[in-house]
Amino acid sequence: MQCTSACTAAAPAQLQRPGKSRSGFSASMRGTALAQQHTAARGPGSSSRGALRVQARDFPKPDFEGEKSFQEMAAISAAVKAAPRPKEPLTVVIAGAGLAGLSTAKYLVDAGHKPIVLESRDVLGGKVAAWKDEDGDWYETGLHIFFGAYPNLMNLFKELDIEDRLQWKEHSMIFAVPEAPGEFSRFDFPDLPAPLNGIIAILRNNQARTDAGRGRATAGMLTWPEKIQFALGLLPAIVYGQPYVEAQDDKTVTEWMRQQGVPARVNDEVFIAMAKALNFIDPDELSMICVLIALNRFLQEKHGSKMAFLDGCPPERLCQPIVDYITARGGEVRMKSGIKDIELNEDGTVKQYNLLSGDSITADLYVSAMPVDIVKKLMPAPWYQMDFFKRLDKLVGVPVINIHIWFDRKLTTVDHLLFSRSPLLSVYADMSTTCREYYDTEKSMLELVFAPAEKWIGRPDEEIIEATMKELERLFPTEIAADGSKAAIRKYKVVKTPLSVYKTVPDCEPCRPTQRTPLRNFYLAGDYTKQRYLASMEGATFSGKLCAQAIAEDWNTSSVKPSQPAKEPAMV
């Protein structure tokens, strides 16, 4: 989900990289500019990453190792590691050092091969990239949340021995109440087996004031009949599972709700916020498969909807340990090594990757772990004759804006992810409360996802911040004023990603490619490729594991080198 600037495009990547920080509003917004403060009063341990201490109220790691999904994904990891050793390691060049590319490389070294990861930028992570500003504060591409229903990521954290870097929060989903500023509506999951805990969370949904100790509980976002109809509408997904979920790909969320008899108000109260959080678009565009995949995992697994924040920035706290694992086992990761084009052999297979530097690189196998929009841009003309690649035209990245605002005081927020239920904002969190590295007892730093962003992606950062502040005035009516007269902005960052995850509109599912392609020495990884999870961190990680598994299955016992010419050209 995603700092300020007139941005320049980053390689062929979709992210617009931020420039300088902006301190305060422009003078035109409130008459006089705010003082340009730049040093936050930081919490204990902030001067040294090695001295980080837990400050937020965290909860114990869920016992998700007992879930069937975790065990299934652990079995795939084990199978890749136990694959017969190749006669000699294959050199596999992987384009992209996001979670998909790094995951592919991690499991390839487990399978006995030598991956070389190429990254066009100078930062790891792809869609989870982050940078430091001139004050040493981090700003990120998105507001990244780790769910208990992410079994591949949970396995990866365990395999890398970095599980302690996840800060688990209370088992709740919390929604702001726009018509009652300063109030929240909660879905609290009891410590019961799934799906009972999810159904009870829906049925006992209550609305609590921010001063809950003195406030009162009200009826909640939904009436009792609406809660019951909502729960009943979800039963087919619970009963029939993944086949039912995938069969709903041809319907939007709104169409599915009408078909199931779910009241329209459930859309306004729940699904608009959920759709924007999952794919950054509204429910009248989003395919129902996206929502049902998430809800099915949340409702089928006891800990599925539990959320965790990473204890710092993803490139350092998650991506770097993967790189360390890869390089310790003979692999490589090369930064600032963008691909200019893909050169083919006469049989249509890949001959080499030509780089922006003018160099080229050859290997036994080639993997693209780049976003789908970049894959289409770099695709050699002959491949367009193949239906496998032509179907990618349906998959188009959705624009996203991620915002960071540093305030001059501590706001009254919740130690959790919050669904804003705002027309402009999707989700937000006070990172100075939820995250160890960003912890601050004196001042808040809100990270917010601005979505849908299609009409805003080209607008100046000042306009985006002005609109955001108007929305924040509704969320924090006693503490934030749009004119800046209450909590003052010390600085802000706006990260624009014109093409993020693919836009999950109806009928996209048949267009998602498998990790194996029609070309014997070319494979795909990426959250847009075929796997049973969303276009998400989990989907990207799983796609990389599946890609490595396919390579191990195809080549670990083969007596033929994939770099040898094929007897017949690729089918077109």
Side-chain angles (χ1 to χ4, degrees):
M1 302 171 193
Q2 281 18 7
C3 114
T4 46
S5 74
C7 303
T8 55
Q14 328 100 295
L15 178 68
Q16 292 186 349
R17 177 136 182 204
K20 289 186 176 181
S21 302
R22 306 278 178 87
S23 297
F25 282 114
S26 62
S28 62
M29 292 183 63
R30 44 174 288 218
T32 57
L34 296 174
Q36 297 193 2
Q37 303 171 40
H38 70 275
T39 304
R42 313 215 18 131
S46 62
S47 61
S48 169
R49 187 164 295 105
L52 289 176
R53 292 161 49 195
V54 178
Q55 300 290 348
R57 181 179 172 228
D58 297 332
F59 285 72
K61 179 181 77 67
D63 184 24
F64 44 66
E65 285 91 343
E67 296 287 354
K68 181 181 177 182
S69 62
F70 182 91
Q71 295 172 353
E72 287 175 346
M73 299 310 153
I76 296 177
S77 296
V80 171
K81 207 162 190 175
R85 296 299 89 177
K87 291 182 178 179
E88 59 180 281
L90 298 178
T91 300
V92 186
V93 173
I94 303 165
L99 288 179
L102 294 176
S103 175
T104 303
K106 188 269 182 196
Y107 292 105
L108 279 176
V109 297
D110 284 348
H113 298 295
K114 180 185 177 181
I116 300 174
V117 182
L118 306 178
E119 171 55 48
S120 63
R121 298 187 293 180
D122 60 355
V123 60
L124 297 167
K127 298 187 188 77
V128 301
W131 300 267
K132 268 187 177 179
D133 68 9
E134 57 271 28
D135 303 324
D137 292 316
W138 286 100
Y139 55 93
E140 304 182 11
T141 309
L143 178 50
H144 303 292
I145 303 300
F146 297 80
F147 288 93
Y150 282 1
N152 288 285
L153 272 166
M154 295 305 107
N155 268 284
L156 183 61
F157 275 91
K158 188 178 184 69
E159 292 162 19
L160 297 172
D161 194 24
I162 57 171
E163 291 176 286
D164 60 343
R165 299 186 181 188
L166 289 174
Q167 293 183 253
W168 291 95
K169 305 302 178 182
E170 186 177 10
H171 197 177
S172 300
M173 300 185 78
I174 306 174
F175 293 74
V177 183
E179 64 275 14
E183 295 190 8
F184 297 95
S185 186
R186 302 172 61 102
F187 292 87
D188 294 316
F189 291 73
D191 188 22
L192 295 170
L196 184 61
N197 62 348
I199 292 172
I200 290 177
I202 293 171
L203 294 179
R204 72 179 189 184
N205 162 245
N206 74 298
Q207 186 169 312
R209 297 186 184 278
T210 50
D211 57 339
R214 293 172 293 158
R216 59 183 177 82
T218 61
M221 293 195 296
L222 306 175
T223 65
W224 272 101
E226 287 167 341
K227 293 176 185 178
I228 293 170
Q229 287 176 280
F230 181 20
L232 290 174
L234 297 176
L235 278 180
I238 298 172
V239 174
Y240 300 113
Q242 193 72 10
Y244 172 84
V245 169
E246 294 190 6
Q248 310 312 305
D249 181 47
D250 62 340
K251 305 174 189 68
T252 66
V253 174
T254 307
E255 290 168 343
W256 178 89
M257 286 177 52
R258 291 197 200 102
Q259 184 183 80
Q260 294 298 119
V262 178
R265 218 171 69 83
V266 175
N267 184 58
D268 299 336
E269 299 292 334
V270 177
F271 280 136
I272 290 177
M274 186 172 290
K276 293 199 297 182
L278 290 172
N279 199 239
F280 316 120
I281 57 177
D282 286 321
D284 56 352
E285 287 189 279
L286 182 67
S287 169
M288 190 60 194
I289 190 174
C290 188
V291 171
L292 286 178
I293 285 173
L295 287 176
N296 204 32
R297 297 270 62 84
F298 292 167
L299 294 172
Q300 295 281 26
E301 300 174 17
K302 178 179 179 180
H303 307 293
S305 55
K306 281 191 177 178
M307 303 180 204
F309 287 74
L310 194 60
D311 66 359
C313 73
E316 285 195 351
R317 304 300 286 166
L318 172 56
C319 298
Q320 189 59 49
I322 307 176
V323 171
D324 294 341
Y325 185 99
I326 294 164
T327 56
R329 290 158 180 80
E332 297 180 45
V333 178
R334 302 179 185 177
M335 309 303 290
K336 297 184 180 179
S337 298
I339 294 178
K340 178 184 177 183
D341 57 55
I342 302 172
E343 188 172 334
L344 303 183
N345 294 307
E346 289 185 4
D347 64 0
T349 58
V350 178
K351 178 181 180 181
Q352 60 189 28
Y353 282 168
N354 295 321
L355 307 183
L356 293 169
S357 65
D359 297 328
S360 61
I361 184 167
T362 59
D364 296 306
L365 292 172
Y366 300 84
V367 174
S368 168
M370 300 178 288
V372 65
D373 296 283
I374 300 177
V375 173
K376 290 187 291 185
K377 182 177 179 180
L378 295 179
M379 191 184 301
W383 291 2
Y384 275 110
Q385 306 304 313
M386 302 179 185
D387 185 58
F388 180 91
F389 290 107
K390 277 195 282 190
R391 291 200 301 266
L392 297 182
D393 283 342
K394 174 82 173 179
L395 307 179
V396 179
V398 63
V400 181
I401 299 172
N402 201 58
I403 299 170
H404 302 68
I405 303 178
W406 285 261
F407 288 96
D408 68 345
R409 66 193 69 178
K410 193 71 175 176
L411 302 172
T412 305
T413 56
V414 180
D415 183 14
H416 214 292
L417 177 76
L418 299 168
F419 294 83
S420 76
R421 299 178 67 231
S422 150
L424 296 179
L425 303 177
S426 169
V427 292
Y428 70 97
D430 186 341
M431 300 298 283
S432 68
T433 296
T434 61
C435 177
R436 292 175 199 162
E437 185 159 8
Y438 306 156
Y439 188 76
D440 193 323
T441 58
E442 304 297 327
K443 300 177 175 66
S444 282
M445 189 276 274
L446 295 187
E447 187 172 345
L448 312 102
V449 179
F450 196 101
E454 188 172 1
K455 295 179 181 178
W456 288 85
I457 198 77
R459 296 198 194 183
D461 295 342
E462 291 82 2
E463 288 186 21
I464 294 170
I465 293 295
E466 183 176 9
T468 300
M469 285 296 288
K470 289 178 181 177
E471 293 302 309
L472 288 178
E473 184 176 44
R474 297 171 61 193
L475 294 170
F476 300 87
T478 63
E479 298 175 277
I480 294 178
D483 63 4
S485 59
K486 296 181 181 178
I489 294 179
R490 296 188 296 113
K491 63 180 179 180
Y492 63 85
K493 293 281 190 182
V494 176
V495 176
K496 298 177 180 178
T497 307
L499 298 170
S500 182
V501 296
Y502 78 90
K503 192 174 185 179
T504 313
V505 296
D507 299 317
C508 276
E509 199 62 22
C511 302
R512 297 177 72 181
T514 56
Q515 287 75 38
R516 286 186 178 93
T517 77
L519 307 161
R520 64 197 294 270
N521 70 344
F522 183 69
Y523 293 76
L524 294 174
D527 58 13
Y528 69 95
T529 61
K530 191 72 174 175
Q531 35 81 21
R532 71 189 196 193
Y533 292 92
L534 306 169
S536 61
M537 293 186 294
E538 171 67 10
T541 304
F542 191 24
S543 76
K545 184 187 289 189
L546 291 175
C547 183
Q549 182 186 38
I551 290 172
E553 290 174 350
D554 293 348
W555 299 107
N556 274 33
T557 58
S558 176
S559 59
V560 178
K561 292 275 282 186
S563 51
Q564 295 173 348
K567 294 180 180 179
E568 297 179 3
M571 296 295 292
V572 296

